[in-house]
Amino acid sequence: MSLFLTTTALTFSLFVLAPFSTNPSMLIQHPLVTQEQDCFHESYSEYDLWVEHTRQRFKQAYHAETAVDKSLALFKSRYSKEKFDTYKKLTCRTFSYDVDGVPVQGYVIKPKHMPRSLPVVIFNRGGNGNFGGVRFLSMFKTLFPIAEQGFVIFGSQYRGTFSDKIDSKYGFQGYYAKQPQDEFGGKDIQDVIRLIDYIPSIVGVDPKRIGLFGWSRGGMQSYLVLKQVENIKAVVTVAGNSDLLAGLSQRPDMERVYKKRIPNYQQNKTSELEKRSVIKWVDKLPTNVPILLLHGSDDRRVDVSHSIILADKLKQHNLSHKLVVYDRDDHGLTHNKEQANQEIVSWFKQHL
């Protein structure tokens, strides 16, 4: 296992400003981090604006007004004004950063009022390309509840995410379509590792307390990062991929993603998938990093066997871990989200 990569040279891309001078309004004080923007802006600046924005989206999706009203009522019941007002007490920024000349989008979320330096949790998202990108709603559902408990959430969208489909407010229309794409556990791992370089530049963090939190494909990302860096204190994965070859037999349609994104997949299918499958190299993981595995028993995207078999492998290698399987729950842990959040917060508070 090698030391994490450090930025030894400043590679200035289209989005890098030079010369660099400290800007007190910037949450991340680093020359390769630019384009910071408040998450709570425009349609997300106030709850009523968010609801109206959502109504317009529903109107585009449904012809019947009754369907729009029903969907909006469900939305408001799940994402209440009370929660919105609570989460607005967080600081949330999106930004662009440079990875060896490749522009990548990221986000950081933290409590506004911190009596002490806080630990950092790097969130590794699921999906691929634009699918699964971390937008405001996914922050609201998955990341805000963790951040408000006293953590700084730091994450990458991975390279190539947000092409010409992105909302024009981000200002990067079309540009990302021309950039190197997400390789589903290839060079995009550097997009996560590079974030570690920037952690000391975040106002109010403790750079010695870093955890990894991966969901679905993000579980794979977390293990690949854990194999390469030495300063991670704890890991949580939810519905994480651990064996991509076995996963193909359970979900054959994923091969379409692999063919599109993984370099040399056609020529080296088995070796490329094994590179990305922690089940094949558990012995390469550090022995002092505790791992929490959460999974729904009825997950149809990533079968629960991924976590069960991995937990058994971790046990065989005497690696500290805990497995929690939620009976009859799905890929998003829809029926046990609050319980899962409690497990995640408790794990990080105990180990960071």
Side-chain angles (χ1 to χ4, degrees), residues 153-282:
I153 306 293
F154 204 29
S156 174
Q157 301 285 10
Y158 312 144
R159 61 187 59 202
T161 300
F162 297 160
S163 63
D164 56 355
K165 294 182 180 179
I166 189 173
D167 293 340
S168 59
K169 63 176 176 288
Y170 287 93
F172 301 114
Q173 265 191 329
Y175 186 79
Y176 280 79
K178 303 174 184 178
Q179 295 301 316
Q181 71 168 3
D182 163 21
E183 296 181 356
F184 207 85
K187 290 182 179 178
D188 47 277
I189 295 300
Q190 296 306 314
D191 303 342
V192 180
I193 291 176
R194 187 56 55 85
L195 289 178
I196 298 173
D197 289 344
Y198 302 145
I199 286 175
S201 303
I202 305 174
V203 177
V205 306
D206 183 346
K208 295 181 180 179
R209 300 160 68 195
I210 303 173
L212 298 175
F213 173 20
W215 202 298
S216 190
R217 170 263 182 92
M220 174 191 72
Q221 302 284 105
S222 297
Y223 296 126
L224 286 167
V225 171
L226 184 62
K227 186 171 72 166
Q228 297 184 51
V229 306
E230 292 185 346
N231 58 340
I232 304 301
K233 301 297 184 184
V235 175
V236 174
T237 65
V238 181
N241 299 65
S242 65
D243 188 340
L244 275 66
L245 274 170
L248 267 183
S249 65
Q250 298 154 353
R251 192 182 174 194
D253 61 314
M254 280 301 294
E255 187 143 47
R256 173 180 53 82
V257 175
Y258 300 158
K259 285 180 179 178
K260 178 181 179 180
R261 300 202 171 274
I262 298 178
N264 303 313
Y265 178 78
Q266 300 280 40
Q267 297 81 11
N268 304 302
K269 173 178 175 177
T270 298
S271 63
E272 289 298 332
L273 293 184
E274 287 184 346
K275 286 179 187 177
R276 293 162 168 80
S277 301
V278 63
I279 206 78
K280 302 297 182 181
W281 34 266
V282 172

Side-chain angles (χ1 to χ4, degrees), residues 312-325:
D312 186 59
K313 285 281 189 179
L314 295 172
K315 182 178 180 180
Q316 291 175 29
H317 287 81
N318 297 313
L319 298 178
S320 177
H321 69 283
K322 179 181 179 180
L323 170 66
V324 180
V325 176

Side-chain angles (χ1 to χ4, degrees), residues 216-217 237-252 254 258 279 293-311 323-326 329-331 333:
S216 190
R217 170 263 182 92
T237 65
V238 181
N241 299 65
S242 65
D243 188 340
L244 275 66
L245 274 170
L248 267 183
S249 65
Q250 298 154 353
R251 192 182 174 194
M254 280 301 294
Y258 300 158
I279 206 78
L293 309 167
L294 306 180
H295 220 121
S297 68
D298 290 354
D299 191 334
R300 295 185 180 181
R301 293 189 178 183
V302 180
D303 192 83
V304 67
S305 60
H306 283 258
S307 289
I308 293 173
I309 295 173
L310 178 57
L323 170 66
V324 180
V325 176
Y326 295 101
D329 213 340
D330 56 20
H331 189 65
L333 300 184

Side-chain angles (χ1 to χ4, degrees), residues 9 27 38 89 104 109 121 135 158 194 205 217 221 251 263 269 279 287 327 344 346 348:
L27 191 59
D38 193 343
K89 297 175 183 177
V104 184
I109 307 163
V121 173
R135 295 172 174 81
Y158 312 144
R194 187 56 55 85
V205 306
R217 170 263 182 92
Q221 302 284 105
R251 192 182 174 194
K269 173 178 175 177
I279 206 78
T287 59
D327 189 40
I344 294 165
S346 175
F348 283 135

